[in-house]
Amino acid sequence: MNDDIECVLHHETTILSRLDGMARDIMRDYRGKELTVVAILQGGLILMADLLRRVQLPLQIESLSVSSYHGGTESTGTVTFNQTRLPDLNGRHVILLDDILDSGRTLHAIRGRFEAECRPASVRICVLLRKRKQRACVVEADYVGFDINDEFVVGYGLDYRGRYRNLPYIGVLKPEAYQS
Ligand code: IMP
Ligand code: MG
């Protein structure tokens, strides 16, 4: 797996110390509130584990499986909910947790359904990465780990065709890795 990586954007130690800061921001904002964190699977899984162990607040954890890529490196624009049941978020302050904000369509669709169907007290968005895009993103993130250039990255939860999620760092794939 490591041989397929062109360059490392953020090493594990850098990611973890950034998570310390994000956890502090979340603790400042949610102390005394009924917090539920919803991780978007599969990409948000590693972030959830590392970030939430740093958040010293009572909270509930939920997850939601969606697909927006269907295997390639471009978002298809359609977000498929892989489960019919939505979490019970009635009256809860919700943080949606995902690996990356690209076009924003995925998180926009999820937040829209939560607000329409789950009666949350509030919904905020937390991502590890945000791509600097030419076109405006359809949602604003409230907590962001790192801004990155508009290139395809893997590792730390992010995949290409289901691979590389378990790399401990965030890296850019070599072009030949797309062809194989
Ligand atoms: P959006 O709906 O365009 O914001 O896409 C968000 C989803 O696309 C994320 O949850 C990721 O699963 C996936 N994605 C976007 N950019 C990348 C990338 O550079 N590498 C891997 N997955 C990505
Ligand atoms: Mg994802």
Side-chain angles (χ1 to χ4, degrees), residues 4-9 151-154 170-174:
D4 295 342
I5 302 301
E6 179 95 58
C7 67
V8 176
L9 281 188
E151 56 191 348
F152 195 78
V153 294
V154 294
I170 293 157
V172 179
L173 267 187
K174 286 180 184 164

Side-chain angles (χ1 to χ4, degrees), residues 40-41 43 98-99:
I40 309 310
L41 304 182
D98 205 359
D99 48 6

Side-chain angles (χ1 to χ4, degrees), residues 127-145:
V127 290
L128 182 66
L129 304 174
R130 176 171 61 190
K131 284 191 188 174
R132 294 188 200 93
K133 307 286 278 190
Q134 300 285 43
R135 253 185 322 132
C137 185
V138 296
V139 294
E140 293 272 328
D142 301 283
Y143 306 95
V144 178

